[in-house]
Amino acid sequence: MAKQLDYHTLREIFTRFQAADPEPKGELDHVNVYTLVVAVALSAQATDAGVNRATHALFQIADTPQRMLDLGEEGLIEHIKTIGLYRQKAKNVIKMSRILVEDYDGIVPNSRAALQSLPGVGRKTANVVLNMWWRQPAQAVDTHIFRVGNRAGIAPGKDVDAVERAVEDNIPADFQLHAHHWLILHGRYHCKARKPMCPTCIIRDLCQFEDKTL
């Protein structure tokens, strides 16, 4: 695990990320906040591209909690059976939809605690929704952020909670809104797990990763 980078180095790193991509976007397709919650929940242990392929037709007919309930669990399974753990995910989406209809008048709540109380919605999913839909500086730590944070020294931590705290505590406030997207995209397309693309990395000179590729 690399040591935590200092404030000035972090500011330079995120200044470069911002210059390269001023408004980074999540890659999960959605049409409203409800479909965003569903898409993020489905993306656990699956790729965004795979989820998008499965939800393209689904969200045309089931874009609200009530319409998802009308579709039913078996109908939902037919749409998402190419996604890993699809049976359990289908059960959770239906349970979540029922709770939203019965307890929230079909409206997705905008608090982390309420979101996390929904079946299939963990802290990471809640943070993604809070960040992408309500533009709160919530940090959703996935495998990409965990890897980049520890490799580079941007946000080192032994587990995802520690990395989340490191992001919140150390990354300058004016970069907090987009921080997790910059880190995810950097990890997905540049700082890859097996073959990081160090020669073309825009933060190569600031990164603490000792085993940089040539």
Side-chain angles (χ1 to χ4, degrees), residues 148-202:
V148 173
N150 278 292
R151 269 184 180 171
I154 293 173
K158 293 182 178 180
D159 54 40
V160 294
D161 290 338
V163 171
E164 182 181 327
R165 288 193 299 272
V167 171
E168 293 175 343
D169 292 345
N170 296 292
I171 292 175
D174 48 323
F175 295 118
Q176 286 278 331
L177 178 61
H178 294 312
H180 98 273
H181 276 132
W182 281 318
L183 292 172
I184 287 173
L185 295 172
H186 189 67
R188 182 173 292 163
Y189 297 111
H190 299 283
C191 194
K192 300 177 182 180
R194 295 185 180 179
K195 294 182 178 180
M197 301 166 65
C198 300
T200 58
C201 176
I202 63 174

Side-chain angles (χ1 to χ4, degrees), residues 32 34-35 59 61-70 97 101 106:
N32 54 34
Y34 169 70
T35 55
F59 291 159
I61 61 172
D63 59 349
T64 69
Q66 185 58 59
R67 288 177 180 171
M68 189 68 76
L69 291 177
D70 293 342
S97 301
V101 168

